[in-house]
């Protein structure tokens, strides 16, 4: 479950089907193909190669150019990074848990060092409906003041300082997932001392970043995460009063004090090719709105265990592939029954984010559900959940034409009357069906 999938899941938290399949690690693309409704979206191999080539160019020279690009876009009066001023910690570790723990340690060390640092493809974890998800941002930059910035590198062009709004929005939602996961790490690192303790207690709290990623994630969840949109922390107030960090350089900063400054910035750096070239350009994107929505929607997700417990015993999504691992042998009827055992919440927006959207659309249309027309229409129709119910409410008018008291039904009947009047005035028109 990557950040792209989490962003799509957060946009439709009522879809139990996607939550279960993603939480179980089911290949939805292969499942959709076996059901006879393959997904028709995704990047081509050429696009992947172009994206990888552009990312390698952006991160060349140890990320020095990328950090300088970030500093130029900040315009906060801080000192620019000089030659050799950007640290690039090694994040190599076995397995996703090991990489997550190594990333947390590298973030703590870089924050304590009080210098620029670039973490290339770090790994962070996020608990999603009781199931851990491991996420890999393109890069995270640690600032000398202890703040962190998420860097999202995309291969779509930025022409005259602007890019496709839909693609920028998708990148912002994806970055918000990374930001939310990093807030959990920051909350562990800067956990305040209890009972009015001193900085020695804070130093002990810094050491609480454990190599066991699973327990660390639970500890961060218990700590409540870092609500950077809330009251300004003392470190943030100090940074605002002294953006250049002059006061901090007058005396040594202890590791505990440095760790307490750890925070995730609400502006992410979006890096794209400039004017269809291979030269990088960038802009800061505010993701506070996307962050709030993602946090709220993920909290609404039903736990995976609860969804699985409601399934019929023996339910499986196994395709029963042949020995070559390519051809499914399970009957389509069995597979369809397994998929239909989990409730879905289809909307037309799913077509660009979920591999099973074509299958869900077909089933939704066959059942005559109004969701197939979009969430806006579904919301306007209130308790009328099927096409037949809508048509019945619109066309069955009483003789006295008295209001029913239901605003939805009254509006439908008024719309039907206007449509009939329009068709009567143009006999040559063909009535839509």
């Amino acid at each position: 479950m990557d950040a792209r999938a989490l962003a799509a899941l957060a946009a439709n938290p009522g879809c139990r089907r996607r939550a279960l399949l993603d939480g179980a690690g089911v290949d939805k693309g292969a499942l959709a193909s076996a059901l006879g409704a393959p997904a028709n979206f995704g990047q081509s191999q050429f696009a992947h190669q172009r994206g990888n080539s552009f990312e390698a160019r952006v991160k060349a020279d140890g990320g020095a150019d990328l950090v300088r690009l970030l500093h130029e876009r900040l315009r906060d009066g801080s000192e620019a990074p000089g030659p050799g001023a950007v640290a690039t910690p090694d994040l190599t570790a076995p397995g996703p848990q090991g990489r997550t723990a190594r990333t947390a340690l590298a973030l703590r060390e870089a924050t304590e060092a009080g210098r620029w640092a670039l973490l290339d493809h770090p790994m962070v974890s996020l608990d999603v409906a009781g199931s851990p998800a491991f996420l890999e941002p393109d890069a995270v930059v640690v600032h000398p003041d202890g703040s962190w910035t998420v860097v999202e590198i995309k291969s779509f062009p930025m022409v005259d300082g602007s890019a496709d709004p839909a693609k920028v929005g998708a990148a912002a939602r994806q970055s918000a997932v990374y930001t939310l996961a990093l807030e959990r790490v920051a909350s562990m690192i800067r956990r305040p001392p209890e009972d009015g303790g001193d900085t020695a207690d804070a130093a002990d709290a810094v050491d609480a970043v454990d190599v066991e990623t699973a327990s660390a994630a639970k500890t961060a969840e218990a700590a409540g995460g870092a609500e950077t949109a809330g009251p300004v922390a003392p470190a943030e107030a100090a940074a605002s009063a002294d953006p250049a960090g002059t006061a901090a350089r007058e005396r040594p900063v202890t590791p505990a004090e440095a760790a307490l400054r750890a925070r995730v910035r609400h502006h992410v750096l979006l890096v794209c090719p400039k004017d269809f070239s291979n030269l990088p350009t960038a802009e800061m994107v505010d993701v506070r709105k996307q962050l709030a929505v993602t946090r709220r929607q993920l909290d609404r997700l039903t736990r995976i265990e609860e969804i699985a417990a409601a399934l019929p015993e023996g339910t499986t999504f196994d395709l029963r592939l042949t020995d070559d691992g390519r051809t499914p042998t399970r009957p389509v009827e069995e597979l369809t029954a397994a998929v239909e055992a989990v409730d879905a919440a289809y909307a037309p927006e799913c077509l660009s984010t979920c591999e099973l959207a074509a299958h869900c659309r077909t089933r939704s249309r066959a059942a005559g559900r109004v969701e197939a027309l979009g969430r806006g229409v579904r919301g306007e129709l209130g308790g009328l959940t099927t096409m037949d119910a809508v048509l019945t409410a619109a066309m069955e008018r009483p003789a006295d034409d008295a209001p029913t008291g239901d605003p939805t039904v009254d509006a439908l009947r008024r719309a039907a009357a206007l449509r009939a009047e329009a068709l009567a005035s143009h006999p040559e028109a063909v009535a839509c069906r």
Side-chain angles (χ1 to χ4, degrees):
M1 191 183 296
D2 57 14
R4 191 187 302 271
L6 281 181
L9 185 59
N12 190 9
C15 187
R16 291 185 160 215
R17 182 176 298 170
R18 173 152 197 169
L20 179 65
L21 295 178
D22 283 343
V26 176
D27 186 346
K28 297 194 301 297
L31 180 60
S33 298
L35 290 171
N40 57 357
F41 68 93
Q43 280 189 323
S44 65
Q45 183 178 1
F46 174 77
H48 278 292
Q49 293 175 349
R50 184 175 183 273
N52 292 337
S53 175
F54 177 69
E55 181 176 341
R57 175 162 187 165
V58 170
K59 296 179 180 178
D61 299 328
D65 292 338
L66 176 58
V67 174
R68 280 196 293 269
L69 191 61
L70 170 61
H71 180 266
E72 291 174 1
R73 295 300 183 271
L74 287 175
R75 304 181 183 92
D76 58 356
S78 61
E79 184 178 353
V86 181
T88 54
D90 182 14
L91 304 179
T92 304
Q97 292 86 356
R99 289 186 59 197
T100 303
R102 182 68 188 91
T103 296
L105 180 61
L107 286 168
R108 187 191 73 179
E109 293 174 344
T111 303
E112 292 176 356
R115 58 176 295 189
W116 290 99
L118 174 69
L119 278 66
D120 186 7
H121 283 287
M123 182 160 284
V124 290
S125 64
L126 188 64
D127 184 81
V128 181
S131 178
F134 296 97
L135 313 172
E136 189 176 358
D138 291 331
V140 174
V141 175
V142 179
H143 300 247
D145 65 355
S147 60
W148 309 342
T149 294
V150 174
V151 178
E152 186 69 13
I153 302 174
K154 295 296 185 182
S155 58
F156 56 80
M158 188 177 295
V159 182
D160 294 332
S162 62
D164 185 345
K167 294 181 179 179
V168 173
R173 290 189 294 272
Q174 186 174 338
S175 299
V177 176
Y178 297 137
T179 302
L180 185 61
L182 282 168
E183 284 183 349
R184 302 297 194 270
V185 182
S187 69
M188 287 190 294
I189 293 177
R190 71 162 191 250
R191 190 176 306 146
E194 298 180 358
D195 302 327
D198 55 16
T199 54
D201 298 321
D204 293 337
V206 171
D207 293 333
V209 180
D210 196 89
V211 295
E212 294 293 337
T213 304
S215 61
K218 292 181 181 179
T219 304
E221 187 70 22
E227 292 289 345
T228 51
V232 179
E236 296 185 50
S240 300
D242 184 18
T246 305
R249 291 194 296 267
E250 293 178 355
R251 64 175 179 81
V253 178
T254 66
E257 292 173 331
L260 288 174
R261 299 182 304 182
R263 61 186 176 89
V264 188
R265 291 178 178 241
H266 286 145
H267 288 76
V268 303
L269 184 71
L270 177 62
V271 184
C272 300
K274 181 179 180 180
D275 299 335
F276 302 102
S277 68
N278 204 31
L279 299 176
T281 186
E283 290 294 337
M284 304 300 295
V285 179
D286 190 344
V287 297
R288 281 178 292 184
K289 179 180 178 181
Q290 291 83 359
L291 184 61
V293 172
T294 301
R295 182 185 290 111
R296 182 174 65 253
Q297 299 291 61
L298 289 180
D299 289 342
R300 290 176 54 196
L301 286 175
T302 306
R303 295 185 64 86
I304 303 299
E305 293 86 349
E306 297 178 13
I307 301 175
L311 295 178
E313 186 177 356
T315 300
T316 176
F317 304 101
D318 184 13
L319 301 181
R320 298 175 191 166
L321 299 177
T322 56
D323 293 338
D324 61 3
R326 297 179 180 179
T327 306
T329 62
R330 189 176 181 186
V332 177
E333 294 76 13
E334 287 186 16
L335 197 57
T336 301
V339 172
E340 294 300 317
V342 192
D343 294 335
Y346 170 76
E349 293 84 354
C350 297
L351 292 172
S352 61
T353 58
C354 182
E355 293 85 348
L356 278 176
H359 170 79
C360 295
R361 178 180 60 180
T362 300
R363 306 295 290 188
S364 181
R365 287 176 173 176
R369 300 191 185 100
V370 296
E371 287 87 346
L373 301 178
R375 292 194 181 99
V377 176
R378 175 66 185 88
E380 291 287 343
L381 292 176
L384 302 176
T385 59
T386 65
M387 304 290 188
D388 289 341
V390 173
L391 293 176
T392 299
M395 305 308 294
E396 291 185 356
R397 304 180 62 183
D400 56 359
D401 203 15
T404 64
D406 187 333
T408 301
V409 174
D410 291 340
L412 285 171
R413 290 179 176 176
R414 176 60 178 163
L418 292 173
R419 174 178 178 272
E421 181 180 341
L423 291 176
S425 62
H426 297 80
E428 71 280 2
V430 179
C432 56
R433 298 183 183 275

